[in-house]
């Protein structure tokens, strides 16, 4: 059985809770992107949407809606469903991004890349407009693949 965003979120919270819901969403995004670059496959099947504050998985949002701060048990998932490569990807991202707060992580997602591409496809004029435009896996893979390529130089 493959891991879902719920399982990845539960794994992240088990490792680094408490954190804001926004930080959890952004860590899921970075883990997904880097996992695509490193392993050439999705970390989970749910899709990111180009919301005003950056990429958001609606299914995960539904689980934390109305909560600002999340503890270890606030997202019921099964971290054991992550395979070794998935855990490794998430662990590297958690270690690399632990010093950043939710707003810094959100700002990183607003730079040119998959989120901005999706917002442009939706014809949005500014960062404040609502959108459910999905980020494309090929855009995520290309963007994070290029980042990994630069890190390897």
């Amino acid at each position: 059985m493959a891991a879902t965003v719920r399982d990845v979120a539960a794994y992240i919270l088990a490792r680094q809770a408490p954190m804001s819901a926004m930080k959890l969403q952004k860590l899921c995004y970075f883990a997904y992107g880097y996992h695509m670059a490193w392993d050439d496959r999705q970390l989970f099947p749910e899709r990111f949407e180009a919301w005003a504050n950056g990429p958001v998985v609606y299914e995960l949002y539904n689980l934390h809606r109305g909560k600002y701060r999340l503890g270890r048990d606030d997202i019921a998932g099964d971290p054991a469903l992550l395979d070794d490569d998935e855990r490794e990807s998430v662990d590297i991202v958690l270690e690399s991004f632990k010093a950043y707060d939710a707003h810094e992580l959100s700002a990183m997602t607003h730079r040119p890349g998959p989120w901005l591409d999706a917002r442009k496809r939706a014809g949005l004029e500014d960062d404040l407009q609502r959108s459910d435009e999905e980020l494309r896996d090929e855009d995520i893979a290309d963007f994070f693949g290029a980042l990994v390529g630069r890190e390897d130089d």
Side-chain angles (χ1 to χ4, degrees), residues 106-125:
S106 180
M108 289 178 201
T109 68
H110 286 227
R111 297 178 185 149
W115 176 82
L116 197 56
D117 294 345
R119 298 205 39 101
K120 286 179 183 172
R121 273 196 315 278
L124 303 174
E125 300 295 323

Side-chain angles (χ1 to χ4, degrees), residues 78-90:
D78 186 358
L81 290 176
L82 278 73
D83 66 31
D84 290 343
D85 291 334
E86 292 165 343
R87 274 192 301 279
E88 182 181 22
S89 293
V90 175

Side-chain angles (χ1 to χ4, degrees), residues 56-67:
V56 170
V57 175
Y58 182 78
E59 291 85 351
L60 179 57
Y61 171 79
N62 250 354
L63 298 173
H64 64 66
R65 182 192 310 251
K67 296 179 185 170

Side-chain angles (χ1 to χ4, degrees), residues 34 38 87-98:
Y34 278 109
W38 294 325
R87 274 192 301 279
E88 182 181 22
S89 293
V90 175
D91 287 342
I92 292 168
V93 166
L94 292 179
E95 183 60 31
S96 300
F97 290 91
K98 69 181 178 186

Side-chain angles (χ1 to χ4, degrees), residues 6 25 54 75 99 128 140 153:
R6 176 188 297 249
Q25 285 278 357
I75 303 291
L128 302 176
I140 294 171
D153 291 343

Side-chain angles (χ1 to χ4, degrees), residues 101-150:
D101 69 23
H103 295 286
E104 290 168 321
L105 293 174
S106 180
M108 289 178 201
T109 68
H110 286 227
R111 297 178 185 149
W115 176 82
L116 197 56
D117 294 345
R119 298 205 39 101
K120 286 179 183 172
R121 273 196 315 278
L124 303 174
E125 300 295 323
D126 62 51
D127 291 355
L128 302 176
Q129 291 178 279
R130 291 178 175 263
S131 171
D132 61 0
E133 183 73 24
E134 289 187 359
L135 279 66
R136 296 178 179 158
D137 270 352
E138 57 268 21
D139 294 342
I140 294 171
D142 289 349
F143 178 77
F144 283 92
L147 289 179
V148 169
R150 283 198 297 263

